[in-house]
Amino acid sequence: MELSHSVYLPELAKCLHRETRLIYNEDAFFFPVVHPNAISYGMRYDAAATVSSIESAEETTVAYCLQKPIRKLSGELAEEGELLIRRSVPMEKSLSDLLAAVTCGIVCGVIRTPTVKI
C-alpha cells in the first residue's frame, strides 16, 4: 500500500527540528514545508543540487552542481559551485542516487576536494 503525501507529511513535519538536515529528491517528492536545512536534489532547475553535465569515455565524469549554499553539520557553509565526480564504472545506478550520496558527503564534511572519485 502506498501512502499519500497527505498522510505522512504532517507526521514528518512534526519530526523536523532546527538542526535537522533534510535531503530529498525533488523530482519524486513535493515537500511543501519550509525548513532552513531542507536540501533538494534532482534534475529540476530549482533543485539545490543537480547535474550540470555528464561526459562518458573510459571514465564517466559528472559535474555535480550545488546551486545554493548549504549548511554542513559542522556549521560552516558549503558555497555554490561545481564538483567533478569521476566514476570508473558505468552509470548503472541512477543519477538520483549519486546526487543524494554526494550531497550527504558535503553535509557531513567528508567531501572537501573539487574532484571526487567514486
Side-chain angles (χ1 to χ4, degrees):
M1 178 176 90
E2 187 173 324
L3 295 175
S4 70
H5 289 126
S6 62
V7 172
Y8 62 84
L9 269 178
E11 293 304 312
L12 176 62
K14 290 178 193 175
C15 299
L16 298 178
H17 301 283
R18 181 125 181 95
E19 301 81 28
T20 301
R21 299 304 190 281
L22 176 67
I23 300 171
Y24 67 97
N25 184 340
E26 191 167 291
D27 297 333
F29 183 73
F30 173 68
F31 189 71
V33 178
V34 176
H35 189 276
N37 295 319
I39 305 164
S40 61
Y41 67 89
M43 300 309 294
R44 295 174 49 117
Y45 73 93
D46 55 346
T50 191
V51 171
S52 60
S53 68
I54 301 172
E55 294 179 19
S56 288
E58 288 180 26
E59 188 172 71
T60 302
T61 302
V62 176
Y64 170 96
C65 182
L66 191 58
Q67 299 194 98
K68 69 174 193 169
I70 59 174
R71 184 127 345 250
K72 297 179 186 181
L73 293 176
S74 65
E76 65 184 308
L77 218 51
E79 297 294 335
E80 64 255 3
E82 287 191 342
L83 174 69
L84 294 180
I85 310 296
R86 299 194 192 287
R87 292 176 56 111
S88 56
V89 295
M91 288 292 295
E92 293 166 355
K93 292 286 186 181
S94 73
L95 283 174
S96 180
D97 293 343
L98 180 86
L99 286 168
V102 173
T103 302
C104 286
I106 291 171
V107 168
C108 292
V110 296
I111 296 178
R112 300 171 187 252
T113 60
T115 303
V116 176
K117 181 144 179 128
I118 296 178

